[in-house]
Amino acid sequence: MKITVAGAGNVGLVTAVCFAEAGHQVTCLDTQKEKIEMLEKGHIPFFEPGLEPLLEKNLLNGQLCFTTNPNQAYSEADIIFIAVGTPEKKDGAVDVSYIYAAVYTIANTIQKDVIVCTKSTVPVGTNDTIKQIFQQRKPRHIKVDVVSNPEFLREGSAVMDFFLGDRIVIGTDNPKAASIMEQLYLPLKIPILFTDIRSAEMIKYASNAFLATKISFINEISNICDKVGANIEEVSYGMGMDKRIGTSNLQAGIGYGGSCFPKDTKALVQLAGNVHHPFELLESVIKVNQHQHSLLVSKAKEMFGSLKGKKAALLGLAFKPETDDIREAVSLTIIKELLEEGSIITAYDPIAVPNAHKVIGNSIEYTTNIRQALKGADFAVIATEWDQIKHLSLDTYAAYMKEPIVFDGRNCYSLKDMERYPITYVSIGRPTIANVKHSPQH
Ligand code: UGA
């Protein structure tokens, strides 16, 4: 099938490359010329494991091409996927203007019958508006079927998620479009669920909101564990053994970040509010998450009294490992709060430093060498569970830091291992290890 993907961001590019890999003829369009030029040379503008080799391969074998030209992209396509950004507006609502801009361009460009399929996360009802736009704008003799096909790709494992996902959701009211979409996805051997359009749109929001709820739930339990002397790792493990609960998204920490959970939870609260149904549960999930972002700086303040002039090693800038994405990363809140307290920060990340520098600028120092970050530090804060941090030899802390005090926001180390070292180790929902007596006047 001839496929076009509108948008070469995380979702669009993975979709384009993976459909090409699956044997389809794919054109990927983006309005940014520099991005397209980079992609044509086989380079991806962000970090996504496994994506670049597939990009190079499919460019070479002619299955995949890139363009900024709508005519080239849309006129001959059988299926057009819309995968442009749907950023958050100031009030938490979703900015769907890029979606509608793409729809107008498609309506003005298509020359044959086509399925237009929305991959981007859009508020319930958006695809109905898309249908109306096509009704008004498309050439009369051309038939356009609108399908909602939300994506469930995680950054850092998006290629694997594309080929080995749990389900594919296809929302359409047209049996012929459903059958074409089925043919497209059948070779992947992933269960396909057919729904109406609005339910497909809602499945995406409800899924992300539920996953975020699990995280805030376990984080609240971890805060209570802290107070009653229980260990969240054991509690979470014991809960996850119940198949009805499951083990995923029960990793306690300093909260969720990224370009999806924070945005989608707020959007669903807005959506519910718009139909006069306050979504109080989800509002609490968001509140708990915000509180969690500030947890470690509060704990550090409690320990030191004042953080003014203290040297902090911030380990991890990306919102999670295996990505260079710092959108809504917890590290950003930690940096802001530590700077307000007058701390001096050196931040370590293996790949997210350039992105962080663009946003934070020169108010902190950056390094891609953990030891460099720890050198002479009064305390360390772990914000991302990178393997490089998890596998760091534990004597490094005492060897490099002025005082080996570690606030671990991702429970990277076992307490048993930590107990063998001269360290003060504060983690999430677990007893503190205080093998070094700390003196606040340091
Ligand atoms: C999320 C969903 O997992 C995908 O299914 C969805 O397609 C995607 O959003 C999207 O809407 O596009 P993503 O944001 O890439 O994917 O990352 P996740 O792996 O879900 O992690 C999100 C955040 O939750 C991270 O900050 C992570 O550190 C945090 N998290 C995750 C926890 O704090 N605890 C956990 O147990 C799991």
Side-chain angles (χ1 to χ4, degrees):
M1 268 186 248
K2 274 195 174 169
I3 292 176
T4 286
V5 179
N10 297 61
V11 171
L13 192 57
V14 171
T15 303
V17 170
C18 292
F19 273 128
E21 178 66 14
H24 299 283
Q25 194 62 47
V26 181
T27 304
C28 184
L29 172 136
D30 200 285
T31 49
Q32 288 179 40
K33 201 164 166 262
E34 317 78 64
K35 195 191 252 184
I36 290 298
E37 283 168 359
M38 189 179 177
L39 288 164
E40 280 173 331
K41 289 182 193 138
H43 303 304
I44 55 173
F46 49 84
F47 182 81
E48 185 60 54
L51 189 59
E52 208 160 81
L54 292 187
L55 166 70
E56 283 169 12
K57 179 182 156 196
N58 286 285
L59 276 173
L60 274 176
N61 65 19
Q63 292 291 118
L64 177 64
C65 70
F66 292 92
T67 184
T68 53
N69 179 345
N71 274 313
Q72 187 189 334
Y74 299 136
S75 54
E76 292 300 317
D78 300 310
I79 303 180
I80 298 169
F81 284 97
I82 300 180
V84 297
T86 48
E88 185 182 328
K89 288 195 209 165
K90 278 207 175 87
D91 62 357
V94 182
D95 178 357
V96 280
S97 58
Y98 298 108
I99 297 270
Y100 294 141
V103 170
Y104 282 117
T105 310
I106 293 167
N108 292 335
T109 324
I110 41 173
Q111 288 174 18
K112 64 189 265 296
D113 294 354
V114 66
I115 291 176
V116 174
C117 197
T118 310
K119 272 247 168 256
S120 312
T121 303
V122 292
V124 178
T126 304
N127 278 290
D128 285 340
T129 309
I130 292 176
K131 269 189 191 174
Q132 284 165 12
I133 296 174
F134 278 120
Q135 279 312 326
Q136 290 157 7
R137 295 293 182 110
K138 71 174 177 59
R140 276 206 170 172
H141 65 285
I142 292 178
K143 200 165 165 288
V144 177
D145 285 316
V146 174
V147 171
S148 167
N149 175 214
E151 55 82 23
F152 302 102
L153 309 171
R154 286 163 301 174
E155 285 182 35
S157 56
V159 174
M160 193 185 77
D161 288 347
F162 183 93
F163 289 108
L164 299 171
D166 291 333
R167 81 304 208 184
I168 285 154
V169 174
I170 294 173
T172 173
D173 47 20
N174 181 315
K176 197 172 154 229
S179 157
I180 294 170
M181 293 304 292
E182 187 176 29
Q183 282 170 43
L184 176 72
Y185 277 114
L186 264 183
L188 297 184
K189 297 192 171 70
I190 297 172
I192 301 176
L193 174 71
F194 294 97
T195 70
D196 62 90
I197 291 181
R198 286 184 180 232
S199 301
E201 291 169 331
M202 184 54 114
I203 286 170
K204 170 67 194 211
Y205 277 107
S207 300
N208 272 4
F210 187 72
L211 292 170
T213 302
K214 279 184 94 175
I215 298 170
S216 278
F217 183 88
I218 203 67
N219 285 341
E220 273 296 66
I221 295 288
S222 79
N223 293 330
I224 300 166
C225 281
D226 239 358
K227 302 228 154 92
V228 299
N231 182 327
I232 191 62
E233 298 291 310
E234 305 202 350
V235 172
S236 157
Y237 187 75
M239 286 169 65
M241 285 172 82
D242 185 330
K243 290 193 191 72
R244 294 171 303 172
I245 297 172
T247 50
S248 83
N249 279 53
L250 281 189
Q251 173 68 48
I254 42 176
Y256 59 79
S259 64
C260 306
F261 288 173
K263 171 170 78 87
D264 295 349
T265 44
K266 281 185 240 164
L268 189 50
V269 165
Q270 274 270 345
L271 195 92
N274 291 346
V275 292
H276 312 292
H277 188 95
F279 199 160
E280 290 174 5
L281 175 63
L282 197 55
E283 285 172 31
S284 297
V285 166
I286 295 167
K287 225 185 266 169
V288 166
N289 194 53
Q290 281 160 352
H291 175 262
Q292 211 65 11
H293 284 198
S294 301
L295 191 67
L296 290 185
V297 175
S298 304
K299 288 196 179 198
K301 264 162 71 182
E302 226 172 79
M303 185 180 291
F304 285 96
S306 163
L307 297 176
K308 198 160 193 269
K310 296 279 178 209
K311 281 188 76 182
L314 177 63
L315 305 186
L317 288 161
F319 85 94
K320 65 172 188 178
E322 299 304 321
T323 178
D324 59 355
D325 195 343
I326 60 149
R327 284 176 287 176
E328 302 287 327
V330 185
S331 63
L332 299 179
T333 308
I334 295 174
I335 288 168
K336 180 175 163 279
E337 291 180 353
L338 285 178
L339 287 177
E340 279 165 11
E341 294 297 323
S343 297
I344 301 145
I345 306 170
T346 303
Y348 157 81
D349 196 283
I351 57 172
V353 166
N355 282 344
H357 186 254
K358 273 184 228 153
V359 174
I360 304 158
N362 293 329
S363 49
I364 67 170
E365 290 207 359
Y366 304 90
T367 177
T368 52
N369 178 330
I370 300 189
R371 288 167 181 79
Q372 187 69 34
L374 292 173
K375 211 169 168 185
D378 293 293
F379 64 98
V381 178
I382 300 176
T384 318
E385 65 276 34
W386 280 106
D387 274 349
Q388 290 87 330
I389 298 170
K390 286 193 335 202
H391 299 149
L392 185 71
S393 161
L394 292 178
D395 51 13
T396 313
Y397 289 109
Y400 281 81
M401 295 175 71
K402 187 169 159 205
E403 280 201 82
I405 299 175
V406 178
F407 296 90
D408 181 357
R410 300 293 176 189
N411 288 356
C412 288
Y413 309 114
S414 88
L415 293 182
K416 235 187 193 164
D417 288 344
M418 266 308 186
E419 259 154 17
R420 305 205 313 269
Y421 291 88
I423 202 163
T424 296
Y425 180 60
V426 180
S427 53
I428 302 294
R430 303 188 299 177
T432 293
I433 292 175
N435 288 343
V436 169
K437 284 282 156 281
H438 160 68
S439 44
Q441 68 274 18
H442 265 291

